[in-house]
Amino acid sequence: MFASRWDQSRGHSGWGGSAAVHAVSDKPTGPYLDKGLAWPDNQNGKGHNVTALVLPDHSYAVVVSETRPGDVFVSKSLDGPWKQLGSIQVDANGFEARDGRMSNMSMMVRPDGGFEIVARSGAIMIGKNGILGPYKLQGRSVYSNMPGLPTRNLEDPVVWYSGGMYHIVVNCWSERKAFHLTSPDGIDNWTNRGLAYDPTTDFIRYTDGTVNHWDKIERPACSWKMAMSGTSPSRSLTCPRIRNWETTIMAAK
């Protein structure tokens, strides 16, 4: 598990001082052993909105945004060491440059080997020359004028590819609900499929029958990428913000 965490005593507003950490488990549901800061010698581990992924050459990358400008760290092992490769570069491509800001971003490797980013703005960015880009904005926010989708307070998107479709789950923090969008090519023709989750319903159940209503579920479909025989199929897990952790879970080779 790769996560950003901060001192719980600071509450939600302490996220600006979050650090990227690493934890391991024999099972995706835990329990997890805390392995500490992912890059302790680089800005004291600073990192937020941690996204981890398997690269086309089967090495690994961890990307952080919001508190850093889309900084990318790479390693040949999930256990590190992690080396800073650089920062993501964006070409506005004639669109609003602010839509390409590295805020609450989620990244994936496309089936064609390119890279796709969706950030808080909902704008799609495509890169074809490696993980650092440059990425070209593909247009305005895909959230704009979408039927049934709230018009404000959307953030923390998660993007992935499965079942021949591209998917985004995006959270509306004021409604405490998330919405599921799909597209055939990951760029155009996004469709709102409805609620991805509603925390007021009894959908988080434990094996002993306990029902939990999390107040914050802000990255609900964490990406779990398994590297097996050169392929990286994607799966999704329900990963609420656990105390002050925001997580990406990956399975080792």
Side-chain angles (χ1 to χ4, degrees), residues 22 53 69 110 127 137 139 146 151 158 166 180 191 203 218-219 223 229 232 244:
H22 175 211
L53 64 159
R110 291 170 58 90
L137 278 169
M146 184 173 291
T151 57
V158 178
Y166 292 82
H180 179 205
T191 300
F203 82 104
E218 295 186 342
R219 286 184 179 267
S223 176
S229 303
S232 298
N244 286 334

Side-chain angles (χ1 to χ4, degrees), residues 11-12 155-156 171-178 197-201 203-204 206 211-220 238-244:
H12 177 69
E155 65 176 6
D156 289 322
N171 179 62
C172 179
W173 61 261
S174 55
E175 293 191 17
R176 293 286 194 262
K177 295 179 176 66
Y197 72 82
D198 179 351
T200 65
T201 62
F203 82 104
I204 300 178
Y206 296 89
V211 175
N212 200 335
H213 295 123
W214 290 91
D215 182 59
K216 295 180 182 294
I217 308 181
E218 295 186 342
R219 286 184 179 267
T238 301
C239 296
R241 175 177 287 168
I242 305 171
R243 295 183 181 174
N244 286 334

Side-chain angles (χ1 to χ4, degrees), residues 118-141:
V118 58
R120 181 201 296 268
S121 67
I124 302 297
M125 293 167 259
I126 300 294
K128 298 181 179 180
N129 296 301
I131 192 170
L132 295 181
Y135 289 78
K136 289 192 175 185
L137 278 169
Q138 300 299 302
R140 297 180 59 201
S141 172

